[in-house]
Amino acid sequence: MKKLHYISGILLALFSAAHLFNHLCSMAGPESHITLMNNLRKVYRNPVIETLLLLAVGVQIMSGLQLFRKQRKATLSPFQKLQVWSGLYLAMFLLVHVGAVLAGRLVFQLDTNVYFAAVGMNTFPFNLFFLPYYTLAILAIFCHLAAVHAQKMKRTLLGLSPIRQGQLMVVLGGLMAGCILYGFTGGFQGMETPTEYGVMVGK
């Protein structure tokens, strides 16, 4: 189970790196985000790649929940606890997020681009849920990776111990979350979303 979790995790980590970088481009405006996304989709919406990613998501959720049940009552170090609880949040997030994206594509016939996520972040009271929901998801990715890194890394880098390296990864995750949310909310000007995405918030 741990091996399956690890292998599927590597695949999702590669996708997440590209996906989060794509989201960072929203700081330059929704057009920049959509342009890069359309180029990346040529790879990850290939039927073979997309099937592998969906299988990896399923494996991550099922194996992650099983590992959580086994480890939640064990005596764990702070980073082990961080790994377990961030993994639980990621399992729930993947289940909801992937389901929502598939519903947006197949049921609502929407292009699940930046506006698909942004409409909830820019509409009250839905933003009271979606802003922390996405913030915690980004943080959970970095916390999960930081916990694994801190436990497996055996040497210092740039004078930083493995624990300090893990802590720095968590801080970087917080900064990235702030930048992405800034982009998805249109910064201080706000973001106008096309009317067809209003269906996602009952408009």
Side-chain angles (χ1 to χ4, degrees):
M1 185 60 66
K2 284 185 177 181
K3 184 173 287 188
L4 280 174
H5 192 75
Y6 179 74
I7 294 171
S8 62
I10 290 175
L11 181 59
L12 289 180
L14 292 172
F15 171 77
S16 295
H19 199 55
L20 290 176
F21 178 74
N22 189 182
H23 287 349
L24 273 178
C25 291
S26 64
M27 295 183 69
E31 296 80 10
S32 297
H33 182 282
I34 291 171
T35 298
L36 179 57
M37 175 172 279
N38 287 335
N39 288 324
L40 290 173
R41 281 176 174 177
K42 295 175 184 177
V43 178
Y44 67 74
R45 283 204 176 176
N46 173 282
V48 175
I49 302 299
E50 188 169 38
T51 299
L52 287 174
L53 285 170
L54 290 174
L55 286 173
V57 167
V59 169
Q60 276 289 292
I61 292 172
M62 291 186 292
S63 60
L65 291 175
Q66 287 193 31
L67 291 171
F68 174 79
R69 284 197 296 268
K70 290 180 180 179
Q71 296 178 356
R72 64 191 176 94
K73 292 184 179 180
T75 301
L76 304 173
S77 68
F79 266 115
Q80 287 174 323
K81 290 179 181 178
L82 184 64
Q83 182 180 356
V84 169
W85 289 99
S86 62
L88 178 64
Y89 186 84
L90 284 174
M92 294 187 296
F93 176 81
L94 285 171
L95 184 63
V96 174
H97 188 63
V98 173
V101 169
L102 291 176
R105 285 169 57 184
L106 302 176
V107 178
F108 296 102
Q109 301 294 306
L110 292 171
D111 183 1
T112 52
N113 55 30
V114 60
Y115 296 121
F116 181 77
V119 67
M121 294 189 206
N122 291 276
T123 306
F124 182 83
F126 298 95
N127 53 4
L128 298 178
F129 168 79
F130 282 107
L131 289 174
Y133 166 75
Y134 282 112
T135 300
L136 289 174
I138 297 167
L139 279 173
I141 292 172
F142 277 85
C143 287
H144 205 64
L145 293 174
V148 174
H149 177 85
Q151 294 173 79
K152 292 186 177 294
M153 189 66 177
K154 303 300 182 184
R155 59 192 179 90
T156 60
L157 287 175
L158 301 175
L160 297 174
S161 67
I163 289 178
R164 291 297 186 192
Q165 294 168 35
Q167 292 171 340
L168 179 59
M169 289 174 69
V170 174
V171 172
L172 289 174
L175 291 173
M176 179 170 279
C179 290
I180 289 174
L181 263 65
Y182 178 88
F184 271 59
T185 55
F188 298 111
Q189 285 85 33
M191 181 186 289
E192 291 292 331
T193 54
T195 55
E196 61 265 29
Y197 291 90
V199 68
M200 304 306 299
V201 290
K203 290 186 178 180

